Amino acid sequence: MTPTPPTLLVLDADPPPRLGSLTGRARIVRTDAAHLAERLPGADVLLVWDFTSHAVREAWPGDGPRPRWVHTASAGVDHLMCPELAASDTVVTNARGIFEQPIAEYVAALVLAVAKDLPRTLEYQRERVWRHRETRRVAGTRACVVGSGPIGRAIVRALKALGVTTALVGRVSRTGVHGPADLDRLISRADWVIAAAPLTEQTYRMFDTHRFGVMQPSAFFVNVGRGALVDEEALAGALTRRWIAGAALDVFAAEPLPPDSPLWELPGLIVSPHMSGDTIGWRDELGAQFVELYERWAVGRSLPNVVDKTRGYVPGH
């Protein structure tokens, strides 16, 4: 008698993942957020392909039958974590390994674009205005990167390649990484402050009025971590009062950013739609990564990228 394959429940998004290679090795059931709660108890594995959804947090069955493994096609896990999932024996994994280099390239591109005044060059070109300016040298400037995980470390490597002196801040102090106690001192001297930390109780709105007040008037702030790392009202005040020179946000507290949000028109703010890690072919990479993980799980091998559910990220970095 042929054994029944495990049930793989996919919280879908468009376009759906390519899972054809799992045919016969998994019973694939697709669901939307509205039907997730009724289908979760019958699943062995949950693939959170729609990583913008908070449906898992709302539908998790608690003490009842539940998936043995949850994988999210994202670096962050705050959108799915809830006390019941954290307390369960369900293994949670993330998409570490997919987004690090693209995000680092995006941050480096922002630094170069701002230093070389490229946004204004494009504006002048549209207006047919010939206006010579002097721009800033990137080599020799200072950056403080907040978040010592793979994304933060990739950003450090990219900025060092441009000649930027970098300091990395993590949850605890260790070799090559500063602790939270050093953060104010480091951002007070930085030309570039980059937020790339996971969202936890400790990092929620860590960039507030105090932190923006500590920064230099010439500093430029970038958030490629999670939207809630930033008190957006405090950032608006800092830009309006010219406490800092400018900022770029790729993530926001509410996404998509509403058309009537005042952030769209803030002086010195670059808005991008949560795209810093999304390069051509990224969905195929995410799908291939999950298939590889599933093949390991199906034969009882240990999984990489296992999230510490109490901390909210993959430990060991």
Side-chain angles (χ1 to χ4, degrees), residues 62-104:
D63 293 332
R66 56 189 179 269
R68 290 174 280 159
W69 168 36
V70 174
H71 177 78
T72 179
S74 61
V77 298
D78 53 278
H79 59 291
L80 58 86
M81 292 305 300
C82 61
E84 294 80 9
L85 174 53
S88 74
D89 58 0
T90 296
V91 174
V92 176
T93 57
N94 73 354
R96 184 169 69 160
I98 302 295
F99 300 108
E100 289 89 330
Q101 186 60 28
I103 292 176

Side-chain angles (χ1 to χ4, degrees), residues 123-168:
E123 288 180 16
Y124 287 150
Q125 180 179 347
R126 283 191 295 268
E127 298 167 1
R128 301 186 179 219
V129 172
W130 181 279
R131 185 160 300 168
H132 180 271
R133 291 104 63 214
E134 295 177 346
T135 62
R136 192 174 184 183
R137 187 190 294 265
V138 172
T141 60
R142 295 172 179 261
C144 177
V145 179
V146 183
S148 61
I151 292 174
R153 296 201 303 268
I155 292 170
V156 166
R157 289 193 297 271
L159 295 181
K160 281 186 175 180
L162 298 175
V164 178
T165 300
T166 61
L168 185 61

Side-chain angles (χ1 to χ4, degrees), residues 21-298:
S21 61
L22 296 182
T23 300
R25 294 186 287 169
R27 175 177 171 265
I28 300 174
V29 178
R30 300 182 185 276
T31 188
D32 57 13
H35 297 91
L36 180 63
E38 65 186 75
R39 293 172 179 164
L40 266 175
D44 297 293
V45 179
L46 172 65
L47 168 58
V48 185
W49 189 251
D50 184 2
F51 53 80
T52 65
S53 172
H54 291 85
V56 176
R57 214 161 51 187
E58 299 158 4
W60 191 254
D63 293 332
R66 56 189 179 269
R68 290 174 280 159
W69 168 36
V70 174
H71 177 78
T72 179
S74 61
V77 298
D78 53 278
H79 59 291
L80 58 86
M81 292 305 300
C82 61
E84 294 80 9
L85 174 53
S88 74
D89 58 0
T90 296
V91 174
V92 176
T93 57
N94 73 354
R96 184 169 69 160
I98 302 295
F99 300 108
E100 289 89 330
Q101 186 60 28
I103 292 176
E105 292 172 1
Y106 198 88
V107 170
L110 282 171
V111 167
L112 288 170
V114 170
K116 302 308 176 185
D117 204 21
L118 294 186
R120 194 153 40 169
T121 294
L122 295 175
E123 288 180 16
Y124 287 150
Q125 180 179 347
R126 283 191 295 268
E127 298 167 1
R128 301 186 179 219
V129 172
W130 181 279
R131 185 160 300 168
H132 180 271
R133 291 104 63 214
E134 295 177 346
T135 62
R136 192 174 184 183
R137 187 190 294 265
V138 172
T141 60
R142 295 172 179 261
C144 177
V145 179
V146 183
S148 61
I151 292 174
R153 296 201 303 268
I155 292 170
V156 166
R157 289 193 297 271
L159 295 181
K160 281 186 175 180
L162 298 175
V164 178
T165 300
T166 61
L168 185 61
V169 178
R171 186 179 65 90
V172 294
S173 176
R174 56 196 185 277
T175 303
V177 180
H178 295 269
D182 294 329
L183 180 57
D184 285 0
R185 175 178 61 82
L186 292 170
I187 65 175
S188 71
R189 305 182 336 188
D191 301 289
W192 317 99
V193 178
I194 318 296
L199 180 60
T200 66
E201 290 182 5
Q202 291 72 37
T203 63
Y204 177 75
R205 292 193 174 184
M206 66 184 301
F207 290 98
D208 54 12
T209 299
H210 165 73
R211 291 266 157 72
F212 291 121
V214 168
M215 295 179 196
Q216 301 183 84
S218 59
F220 191 86
F221 173 75
V222 178
N223 186 15
V224 289
R226 309 299 288 174
L229 298 179
V230 176
D231 181 335
E232 292 174 351
E233 187 174 342
L235 174 61
L239 289 170
T240 302
R241 299 181 183 94
R242 301 188 184 280
W243 288 0
I244 59 176
L249 300 180
D250 185 55
V251 286
F252 300 85
E255 296 183 5
L257 188 64
D260 60 351
S261 170
L263 294 176
W264 289 106
E265 298 181 350
L266 270 181
L269 178 63
I270 297 173
V271 171
S272 58
H274 204 149
M275 59 181 281
S276 61
D278 302 346
T279 52
I280 295 170
W282 66 286
R283 290 185 178 88
D284 290 340
E285 291 183 49
L286 287 171
Q289 180 189 53
F290 174 74
V291 168
E292 182 179 341
L293 292 178
Y294 184 89
E295 290 172 344
R296 294 176 64 98
W297 176 85

